[in-house]
């Protein structure tokens, strides 16, 4: 049973405050969980409660959320069994009472929900992925590694936020990471040779000043060739356009022009024709349901179309998307919805419609590795957790390398992850 829950303020990878929770069980053992934070957040996400006290961390402190954990949530959960995840999450949802968890804060609620999952696994003496997924957990996910950045994640003139390497042809996770890392290093050499910047963005990707999105894609294909990785065979590409950030009242601001949703769809069709692209995330903005449907109708049988800001890991929005055939995959970020139970529900719902579910980090991360276990546990076959660089990204990859090494029942998802 839960003996105590204690939250404290720690820092994320951007140096902004976030929550860590230590949960102690009756036998004296303890687990710690930490909460991530986004930058290009969707308007429909659950509320991340910040202090807005300009005297501390420019208003970004999380002392209110911490106080909610320590004085409201902790006393209510004391004595409950850590394996009662559903009941505990339900209790917190009811205590908050707001559909976007604005009262206690989704960051407060998630910090506890994550710690309860870790404690539940600990008390069952199971690895977290096995505890979450049971015998259904059979796959190591294909990593989608963000190596080139634009948009809100970089100060350059590239509009697409993320260009990702997808080492889909590897036969093990370990080989996938090596292939990706060697391509990442080849990309770095190419940028250096061209006199371009190799400083990295929030997720470890490079953010050079390039002329166009196509120039970025050409560089990635060139990097693969330089690393002796076959484009379209060993490795393919994925994009996160993060189009909500490009949306203006009368269209999308893209490569110096104002485009309609339809023009953007035409543009994607040409990119997919010319480059080995397997997946496009947030190709349209978070409320542009009509164009999402058109995009899926046009490209949905050829590539994966992932809703991030569109669905915000919210079962209600995913249900609408399934109903309207708005996409064919969902990005899964536990802090967009605020509990482990609702995160699992979102994944179940998406997969019941034959959709893929891509487990994802946030641009502001910590050393927490829960999402690595989540990706294995739900058997979705894909994880998006940044470049093979920066400690907070590497922590997730190292966790997956360790899981692969320790559990011979798991196999690398490879191409299978993109079959629907
Ligand atoms: P965020 O970016 O964590 O800043 O929202 C990641 C994404 O858009 O997928
Ligand atoms: Zn995104």
């Amino acid at each position: 049973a839960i003996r105590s829950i204690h939250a404290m303020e720690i820092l994320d990878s951007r140096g902004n405050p976030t929550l860590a929770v230590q949960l102690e069980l009756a036998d004296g053992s303890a687990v710690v969980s930490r909460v991530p934070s986004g930058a290009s957040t969707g308007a429909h996400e659950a509320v991340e409660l910040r202090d807005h006290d300009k005297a501390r961390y420019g208003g970004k402190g999380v002392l209110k959320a911490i106080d909610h954990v320590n004085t409201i949530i902790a006393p209510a959960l004391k004595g409950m069994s850590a394996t009662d995840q559903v009941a505990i999450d339900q209790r917190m949802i009811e205590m908050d009472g707001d559909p976007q968890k604005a009262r206690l804060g989704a960051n407060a609620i998630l910090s506890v929900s994550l710690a309860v999952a870790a404690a539940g696994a600990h008390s069952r003496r199971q690895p977290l992925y096995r505890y979450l997924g049971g015998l259904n957990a059979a796959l190591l996910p294909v990593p989608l590694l963000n190596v080139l950045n634009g948009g809100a994640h970089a100060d350059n003139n590239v509009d697409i936020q993320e260009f990702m390497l997808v080492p889909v042809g590897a036969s093990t996770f370990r080989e996938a990471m090596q292939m990706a890392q060697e391509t990442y290093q080849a990309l770095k050499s190419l940028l250096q040779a061209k006199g371009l910047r190799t400083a990295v963005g929030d997720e470890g990707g490079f953010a050079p000043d390039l002329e166009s999105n196509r120039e970025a894609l050409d560089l990635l294909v060139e990097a693969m060739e330089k690393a002796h990785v076959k484009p379209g065979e060993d490795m393919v590409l994925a994009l996160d356009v993060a189009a909500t950030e490009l949306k203006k009242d009368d269209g999308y601001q893209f490569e110096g022009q104002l485009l309609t949703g339809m023009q953007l769809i035409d543009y994607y069709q040409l990119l997919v024709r010319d480059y080995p692209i397997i997946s496009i995330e947030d190709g349209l903005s978070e409320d542009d349901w009509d164009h999402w449907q058109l995009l899926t109708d046009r490209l949905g049988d050829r590539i994966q179309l992932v809703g991030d800001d569109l669905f915000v890991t919210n079962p209600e929005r995913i249900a609408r998307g399934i109903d309207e055939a708005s996409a064919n995959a969902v990005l899964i970020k536990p802090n967009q919805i605020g509990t482990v139970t609702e995160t699992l529900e979102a994944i179940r719902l998406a997969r019941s419609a034959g959709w893929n579910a891509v487990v994802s980090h946030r641009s502001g991360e910590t050393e927490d590795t829960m999402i690595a276990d989540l990706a294995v546990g739900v058997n979705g076959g894909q994880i998006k957790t940044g470049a093979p660089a920066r400690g907070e990204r590497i922590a997730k990859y190292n966790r997956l390398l360790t899981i692969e090494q320790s559990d011979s029942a798991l196999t690398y998802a490879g191409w299978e992850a993109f079959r629907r």
Side-chain angles (χ1 to χ4, degrees):
I2 296 170
R3 178 192 282 171
S4 70
I5 294 173
H6 190 81
M8 62 175 279
E9 198 175 46
I10 61 165
L11 302 181
D12 72 15
S13 54
R14 281 190 277 256
N16 292 328
T18 188
L19 291 91
V21 155
Q22 176 162 317
L23 187 156
E24 198 189 347
L25 291 166
D27 67 1
S29 61
V31 296
V32 178
S33 288
R34 306 158 194 87
V35 175
S37 173
S40 58
T41 49
H44 306 288
E45 293 192 21
V47 173
E48 179 180 75
L49 189 66
R50 299 233 174 238
D51 297 339
H52 303 293
D53 168 7
K54 290 288 176 203
R56 294 185 74 251
Y57 290 113
K60 292 191 170 172
V62 290
L63 297 181
K64 280 185 201 161
I66 284 166
D67 187 57
H68 292 165
V69 172
N70 293 340
T71 66
I72 301 174
I73 298 175
L77 303 186
K78 194 175 155 93
M80 289 182 83
S81 165
T83 54
D84 266 350
Q85 186 83 47
V86 175
I88 289 173
D89 286 344
Q90 195 53 42
R91 186 85 198 270
M92 290 193 287
I93 290 166
E94 282 161 15
M95 277 193 286
D96 188 287
D98 178 77
Q100 285 193 290
K101 301 184 177 67
R103 202 172 79 85
L104 298 175
N107 45 351
I109 292 173
L110 184 69
S111 69
V112 174
S113 187
L114 294 176
V116 166
H122 177 82
S123 59
R124 288 264 168 83
R125 290 178 173 71
Q126 285 184 310
L128 181 54
Y129 67 88
R130 190 60 69 197
Y131 174 69
L132 292 173
L135 293 174
N136 290 330
L139 297 174
L140 285 152
V142 175
L144 281 64
L145 303 102
N146 172 17
V147 297
L148 206 61
N149 288 0
H153 286 186
D155 302 316
N156 60 12
N157 46 10
V158 178
D159 295 316
I160 294 177
Q161 177 177 285
E162 303 172 19
F163 296 81
M164 291 170 272
L165 305 178
V166 188
V168 79
S171 48
T172 60
F173 183 78
R174 191 161 63 109
E175 188 187 319
M177 287 310 296
Q178 183 184 335
M179 209 183 264
Q181 200 279 351
E182 289 173 5
T183 306
Y184 179 74
Q185 289 305 324
L187 177 62
K188 184 173 184 176
S189 317
L190 282 177
L191 294 174
Q192 279 165 339
K194 290 173 197 283
L196 292 164
R197 273 187 304 165
T198 55
V200 300
D202 286 348
E203 299 182 356
F206 301 116
D209 264 317
L210 303 174
E211 291 300 315
S212 66
N213 297 299
R214 278 182 180 265
E215 190 184 355
L217 289 161
D218 288 333
L219 270 169
L220 291 177
V221 171
E222 203 181 334
M224 286 184 214
E225 282 159 355
K226 191 171 155 68
H228 308 290
V229 166
K230 289 196 195 75
E233 202 172 310
D234 295 330
M235 189 179 279
V236 289
L237 298 172
L239 307 177
D240 179 5
V241 182
T244 300
E245 307 286 324
L246 309 173
K247 187 79 173 64
K248 305 286 170 242
D249 283 343
D250 44 357
Y252 292 88
Q253 189 65 46
F254 196 79
E255 297 202 321
Q257 287 177 289
L258 197 63
L259 301 186
T260 63
M262 214 54 220
Q263 287 172 314
L264 209 46
I265 292 169
D266 290 339
Y267 176 84
Y268 297 143
Q269 188 166 22
L270 294 178
L271 282 192
V272 168
R273 182 196 66 187
D274 296 342
Y275 297 94
I277 293 168
I278 202 169
S279 177
I280 299 180
E281 175 185 333
D282 280 357
L284 295 154
S285 80
E286 62 196 358
D287 290 311
D288 197 352
W289 293 93
D290 294 347
H291 284 111
W292 269 99
Q293 197 174 41
L294 292 167
L295 173 64
T296 302
D297 189 47
R298 182 87 70 86
L299 288 177
D301 55 350
R302 291 166 59 194
I303 63 166
Q304 174 173 280
L305 297 164
V306 191
D308 170 12
D309 290 351
L310 180 68
F311 298 132
V312 292
T313 316
N314 185 323
E316 285 175 25
R317 291 182 69 90
I318 296 167
R320 175 171 175 188
I322 291 169
D323 204 44
E324 299 181 10
S326 307
N328 58 30
V330 58
L331 202 74
I332 296 293
K333 292 167 165 170
N335 84 321
Q336 284 180 327
I337 185 72
T339 65
V340 171
T341 300
E342 290 161 291
T343 302
L344 294 173
E345 191 188 324
I347 295 169
R348 262 195 305 273
L349 181 61
R351 304 199 78 205
S352 72
W355 287 19
N356 292 334
V358 184
V359 172
S360 171
H361 66 166
R362 299 306 305 246
S363 52
E365 267 293 337
T366 71
E367 65 275 34
D368 201 281
T369 58
M370 187 273 180
I371 58 161
D373 283 75
L374 181 65
V376 175
V378 301
N379 212 40
Q382 297 182 49
I383 189 167
K384 167 176 154 167
T385 188
R390 296 185 59 129
E392 75 281 3
R393 316 292 147 185
I394 291 297
K396 280 70 163 173
Y397 292 126
N398 283 348
R399 172 66 184 149
L400 290 166
L401 288 166
T402 306
I403 292 174
E404 177 171 66
Q405 188 69 35
S406 64
D407 191 339
S408 57
L410 303 173
T411 55
Y412 181 60
W415 286 104
E416 195 59 38
F418 292 89
R419 195 162 300 159
R420 285 182 305 275

